[in-house]
Amino acid sequence: MNIGLRRSGTARTGVSGRQLLVAQAALVGGLIAALIVKELPGIVREVRIYRMTGGLRAHRRYP
């Protein structure tokens, strides 16, 4: 082992890699949840229109 590359006596400060990944996952999850909540009324409207037009069974009526 190369002694020149070893750290001796240094205290680690800051955030570990695992903590950083958890924080990033929480941030991305929060953004996705906010986007879904914001877009939910439009999604519900589109689903209602799709159901009114017949859905998958309406191939003959709506080309």
Side-chain angles (χ1 to χ4, degrees), residues 23-38:
Q24 287 176 345
L27 181 67
V28 170
L31 288 174
I32 290 173
L35 183 65
I36 288 173
V37 167
K38 182 179 180 266

mmCIF file with all atom_site columns, all heavy atoms in Angstrom, residues 23-38:
data_model
loop_
_atom_site.group_PDB
_atom_site.id
_atom_site.type_symbol
_atom_site.label_atom_id
_atom_site.label_alt_id
_atom_site.label_comp_id
_atom_site.label_asym_id
_atom_site.label_entity_id
_atom_site.label_seq_id
_atom_site.pdbx_PDB_ins_code
_atom_site.Cartn_x
_atom_site.Cartn_y
_atom_site.Cartn_z
_atom_site.occupancy
_atom_site.B_iso_or_equiv
_atom_site.pdbx_formal_charge
_atom_site.auth_seq_id
_atom_site.auth_comp_id
_atom_site.auth_asym_id
_atom_site.auth_atom_id
_atom_site.pdbx_PDB_model_num
ATOM 1   N N   . ALA A 1 23 ? -30.853 12.533 -0.356  1.00 0.00 ? 23 ALA A N   1
ATOM 2   C CA  . ALA A 1 23 ? -31.373 13.898 -0.483  1.00 0.00 ? 23 ALA A CA  1
ATOM 3   C C   . ALA A 1 23 ? -31.823 14.178 -1.920  1.00 0.00 ? 23 ALA A C   1
ATOM 4   O O   . ALA A 1 23 ? -32.872 14.781 -2.143  1.00 0.00 ? 23 ALA A O   1
ATOM 5   C CB  . ALA A 1 23 ? -30.308 14.905 -0.062  1.00 0.00 ? 23 ALA A CB  1
ATOM 6   N N   . GLN A 1 24 ? -31.051 13.721 -2.904  1.00 0.00 ? 24 GLN A N   1
ATOM 7   C CA  . GLN A 1 24 ? -31.428 13.912 -4.300  1.00 0.00 ? 24 GLN A CA  1
ATOM 8   C C   . GLN A 1 24 ? -32.691 13.128 -4.638  1.00 0.00 ? 24 GLN A C   1
ATOM 9   O O   . GLN A 1 24 ? -33.567 13.632 -5.350  1.00 0.00 ? 24 GLN A O   1
ATOM 10  C CB  . GLN A 1 24 ? -30.290 13.486 -5.226  1.00 0.00 ? 24 GLN A CB  1
ATOM 11  C CG  . GLN A 1 24 ? -29.128 14.446 -5.220  1.00 0.00 ? 24 GLN A CG  1
ATOM 12  C CD  . GLN A 1 24 ? -27.979 13.951 -6.079  1.00 0.00 ? 24 GLN A CD  1
ATOM 13  O OE1 . GLN A 1 24 ? -27.925 12.784 -6.451  1.00 0.00 ? 24 GLN A OE1 1
ATOM 14  N NE2 . GLN A 1 24 ? -27.063 14.839 -6.399  1.00 0.00 ? 24 GLN A NE2 1
ATOM 15  N N   . ALA A 1 25 ? -32.801 11.904 -4.136  1.00 0.00 ? 25 ALA A N   1
ATOM 16  C CA  . ALA A 1 25 ? -34.001 11.096 -4.389  1.00 0.00 ? 25 ALA A CA  1
ATOM 17  C C   . ALA A 1 25 ? -35.226 11.759 -3.774  1.00 0.00 ? 25 ALA A C   1
ATOM 18  O O   . ALA A 1 25 ? -36.302 11.779 -4.378  1.00 0.00 ? 25 ALA A O   1
ATOM 19  C CB  . ALA A 1 25 ? -33.813 9.688  -3.847  1.00 0.00 ? 25 ALA A CB  1
ATOM 20  N N   . ALA A 1 26 ? -35.080 12.321 -2.578  1.00 0.00 ? 26 ALA A N   1
ATOM 21  C CA  . ALA A 1 26 ? -36.202 13.007 -1.933  1.00 0.00 ? 26 ALA A CA  1
ATOM 22  C C   . ALA A 1 26 ? -36.609 14.244 -2.729  1.00 0.00 ? 26 ALA A C   1
ATOM 23  O O   . ALA A 1 26 ? -37.802 14.520 -2.904  1.00 0.00 ? 26 ALA A O   1
ATOM 24  C CB  . ALA A 1 26 ? -35.830 13.396 -0.503  1.00 0.00 ? 26 ALA A CB  1
ATOM 25  N N   . LEU A 1 27 ? -35.644 14.965 -3.237  1.00 0.00 ? 27 LEU A N   1
ATOM 26  C CA  . LEU A 1 27 ? -35.928 16.162 -4.024  1.00 0.00 ? 27 LEU A CA  1
ATOM 27  C C   . LEU A 1 27 ? -36.643 15.805 -5.326  1.00 0.00 ? 27 LEU A C   1
ATOM 28  O O   . LEU A 1 27 ? -37.658 16.416 -5.677  1.00 0.00 ? 27 LEU A O   1
ATOM 29  C CB  . LEU A 1 27 ? -34.631 16.915 -4.319  1.00 0.00 ? 27 LEU A CB  1
ATOM 30  C CG  . LEU A 1 27 ? -34.766 18.199 -5.121  1.00 0.00 ? 27 LEU A CG  1
ATOM 31  C CD1 . LEU A 1 27 ? -35.511 19.244 -4.306  1.00 0.00 ? 27 LEU A CD1 1
ATOM 32  C CD2 . LEU A 1 27 ? -33.405 18.721 -5.523  1.00 0.00 ? 27 LEU A CD2 1
ATOM 33  N N   . VAL A 1 28 ? -36.138 14.805 -6.031  1.00 0.00 ? 28 VAL A N   1
ATOM 34  C CA  . VAL A 1 28 ? -36.760 14.388 -7.284  1.00 0.00 ? 28 VAL A CA  1
ATOM 35  C C   . VAL A 1 28 ? -38.161 13.830 -7.030  1.00 0.00 ? 28 VAL A C   1
ATOM 36  O O   . VAL A 1 28 ? -39.104 14.126 -7.769  1.00 0.00 ? 28 VAL A O   1
ATOM 37  C CB  . VAL A 1 28 ? -35.869 13.360 -8.018  1.00 0.00 ? 28 VAL A CB  1
ATOM 38  C CG1 . VAL A 1 28 ? -36.594 12.724 -9.185  1.00 0.00 ? 28 VAL A CG1 1
ATOM 39  C CG2 . VAL A 1 28 ? -34.592 14.024 -8.498  1.00 0.00 ? 28 VAL A CG2 1
ATOM 40  N N   . GLY A 1 29 ? -38.324 13.056 -5.972  1.00 0.00 ? 29 GLY A N   1
ATOM 41  C CA  . GLY A 1 29 ? -39.635 12.523 -5.629  1.00 0.00 ? 29 GLY A CA  1
ATOM 42  C C   . GLY A 1 29 ? -40.627 13.630 -5.307  1.00 0.00 ? 29 GLY A C   1
ATOM 43  O O   . GLY A 1 29 ? -41.795 13.572 -5.716  1.00 0.00 ? 29 GLY A O   1
ATOM 44  N N   . GLY A 1 30 ? -40.187 14.639 -4.599  1.00 0.00 ? 30 GLY A N   1
ATOM 45  C CA  . GLY A 1 30 ? -41.051 15.777 -4.290  1.00 0.00 ? 30 GLY A CA  1
ATOM 46  C C   . GLY A 1 30 ? -41.455 16.544 -5.537  1.00 0.00 ? 30 GLY A C   1
ATOM 47  O O   . GLY A 1 30 ? -42.610 16.968 -5.677  1.00 0.00 ? 30 GLY A O   1
ATOM 48  N N   . LEU A 1 31 ? -40.516 16.722 -6.450  1.00 0.00 ? 31 LEU A N   1
ATOM 49  C CA  . LEU A 1 31 ? -40.835 17.420 -7.701  1.00 0.00 ? 31 LEU A CA  1
ATOM 50  C C   . LEU A 1 31 ? -41.831 16.629 -8.539  1.00 0.00 ? 31 LEU A C   1
ATOM 51  O O   . LEU A 1 31 ? -42.763 17.200 -9.113  1.00 0.00 ? 31 LEU A O   1
ATOM 52  C CB  . LEU A 1 31 ? -39.556 17.678 -8.498  1.00 0.00 ? 31 LEU A CB  1
ATOM 53  C CG  . LEU A 1 31 ? -38.632 18.748 -7.950  1.00 0.00 ? 31 LEU A CG  1
ATOM 54  C CD1 . LEU A 1 31 ? -37.332 18.796 -8.747  1.00 0.00 ? 31 LEU A CD1 1
ATOM 55  C CD2 . LEU A 1 31 ? -39.310 20.103 -7.977  1.00 0.00 ? 31 LEU A CD2 1
ATOM 56  N N   . ILE A 1 32 ? -41.655 15.318 -8.598  1.00 0.00 ? 32 ILE A N   1
ATOM 57  C CA  . ILE A 1 32 ? -42.585 14.478 -9.366  1.00 0.00 ? 32 ILE A CA  1
ATOM 58  C C   . ILE A 1 32 ? -43.970 14.506 -8.733  1.00 0.00 ? 32 ILE A C   1
ATOM 59  O O   . ILE A 1 32 ? -44.980 14.608 -9.434  1.00 0.00 ? 32 ILE A O   1
ATOM 60  C CB  . ILE A 1 32 ? -42.030 13.045 -9.491  1.00 0.00 ? 32 ILE A CB  1
ATOM 61  C CG1 . ILE A 1 32 ? -40.819 13.039 -10.418 1.00 0.00 ? 32 ILE A CG1 1
ATOM 62  C CG2 . ILE A 1 32 ? -43.091 12.079 -9.992  1.00 0.00 ? 32 ILE A CG2 1
ATOM 63  C CD1 . ILE A 1 32 ? -40.086 11.728 -10.480 1.00 0.00 ? 32 ILE A CD1 1
ATOM 64  N N   . ALA A 1 33 ? -44.033 14.429 -7.413  1.00 0.00 ? 33 ALA A N   1
ATOM 65  C CA  . ALA A 1 33 ? -45.323 14.483 -6.727  1.00 0.00 ? 33 ALA A CA  1
ATOM 66  C C   . ALA A 1 33 ? -46.015 15.822 -6.972  1.00 0.00 ? 33 ALA A C   1
ATOM 67  O O   . ALA A 1 33 ? -47.232 15.869 -7.219  1.00 0.00 ? 33 ALA A O   1
ATOM 68  C CB  . ALA A 1 33 ? -45.133 14.248 -5.233  1.00 0.00 ? 33 ALA A CB  1
ATOM 69  N N   . ALA A 1 34 ? -45.267 16.915 -6.938  1.00 0.00 ? 34 ALA A N   1
ATOM 70  C CA  . ALA A 1 34 ? -45.857 18.235 -7.194  1.00 0.00 ? 34 ALA A CA  1
ATOM 71  C C   . ALA A 1 34 ? -46.362 18.340 -8.630  1.00 0.00 ? 34 ALA A C   1
ATOM 72  O O   . ALA A 1 34 ? -47.434 18.911 -8.878  1.00 0.00 ? 34 ALA A O   1
ATOM 73  C CB  . ALA A 1 34 ? -44.823 19.327 -6.919  1.00 0.00 ? 34 ALA A CB  1
ATOM 74  N N   . LEU A 1 35 ? -45.624 17.778 -9.569  1.00 0.00 ? 35 LEU A N   1
ATOM 75  C CA  . LEU A 1 35 ? -46.050 17.809 -10.969 1.00 0.00 ? 35 LEU A CA  1
ATOM 76  C C   . LEU A 1 35 ? -47.321 17.007 -11.182 1.00 0.00 ? 35 LEU A C   1
ATOM 77  O O   . LEU A 1 35 ? -48.243 17.453 -11.882 1.00 0.00 ? 35 LEU A O   1
ATOM 78  C CB  . LEU A 1 35 ? -44.937 17.264 -11.870 1.00 0.00 ? 35 LEU A CB  1
ATOM 79  C CG  . LEU A 1 35 ? -45.211 17.296 -13.369 1.00 0.00 ? 35 LEU A CG  1
ATOM 80  C CD1 . LEU A 1 35 ? -45.313 18.729 -13.851 1.00 0.00 ? 35 LEU A CD1 1
ATOM 81  C CD2 . LEU A 1 35 ? -44.126 16.556 -14.108 1.00 0.00 ? 35 LEU A CD2 1
ATOM 82  N N   . ILE A 1 36 ? -47.423 15.849 -10.543 1.00 0.00 ? 36 ILE A N   1
ATOM 83  C CA  . ILE A 1 36 ? -48.627 15.020 -10.674 1.00 0.00 ? 36 ILE A CA  1
ATOM 84  C C   . ILE A 1 36 ? -49.826 15.740 -10.070 1.00 0.00 ? 36 ILE A C   1
ATOM 85  O O   . ILE A 1 36 ? -50.908 15.769 -10.664 1.00 0.00 ? 36 ILE A O   1
ATOM 86  C CB  . ILE A 1 36 ? -48.402 13.643 -10.026 1.00 0.00 ? 36 ILE A CB  1
ATOM 87  C CG1 . ILE A 1 36 ? -47.444 12.819 -10.891 1.00 0.00 ? 36 ILE A CG1 1
ATOM 88  C CG2 . ILE A 1 36 ? -49.716 12.909 -9.842  1.00 0.00 ? 36 ILE A CG2 1
ATOM 89  C CD1 . ILE A 1 36 ? -47.019 11.515 -10.268 1.00 0.00 ? 36 ILE A CD1 1
ATOM 90  N N   . VAL A 1 37 ? -49.647 16.350 -8.896  1.00 0.00 ? 37 VAL A N   1
ATOM 91  C CA  . VAL A 1 37 ? -50.754 17.071 -8.253  1.00 0.00 ? 37 VAL A CA  1
ATOM 92  C C   . VAL A 1 37 ? -51.193 18.249 -9.121  1.00 0.00 ? 37 VAL A C   1
ATOM 93  O O   . VAL A 1 37 ? -52.386 18.521 -9.264  1.00 0.00 ? 37 VAL A O   1
ATOM 94  C CB  . VAL A 1 37 ? -50.345 17.534 -6.838  1.00 0.00 ? 37 VAL A CB  1
ATOM 95  C CG1 . VAL A 1 37 ? -51.328 18.531 -6.272  1.00 0.00 ? 37 VAL A CG1 1
ATOM 96  C CG2 . VAL A 1 37 ? -50.217 16.330 -5.924  1.00 0.00 ? 37 VAL A CG2 1
ATOM 97  N N   . LYS A 1 38 ? -50.234 18.932 -9.728  1.00 0.00 ? 38 LYS A N   1
ATOM 98  C CA  . LYS A 1 38 ? -50.555 20.084 -10.568 1.00 0.00 ? 38 LYS A CA  1
ATOM 99  C C   . LYS A 1 38 ? -51.289 19.666 -11.834 1.00 0.00 ? 38 LYS A C   1
ATOM 100 O O   . LYS A 1 38 ? -52.205 20.358 -12.297 1.00 0.00 ? 38 LYS A O   1
ATOM 101 C CB  . LYS A 1 38 ? -49.267 20.823 -10.928 1.00 0.00 ? 38 LYS A CB  1
ATOM 102 C CG  . LYS A 1 38 ? -49.483 22.059 -11.764 1.00 0.00 ? 38 LYS A CG  1
ATOM 103 C CD  . LYS A 1 38 ? -48.173 22.758 -12.057 1.00 0.00 ? 38 LYS A CD  1
ATOM 104 C CE  . LYS A 1 38 ? -48.386 23.991 -12.882 1.00 0.00 ? 38 LYS A CE  1
ATOM 105 N NZ  . LYS A 1 38 ? -48.243 23.753 -14.297 1.00 0.00 ? 38 LYS A NZ  1
#
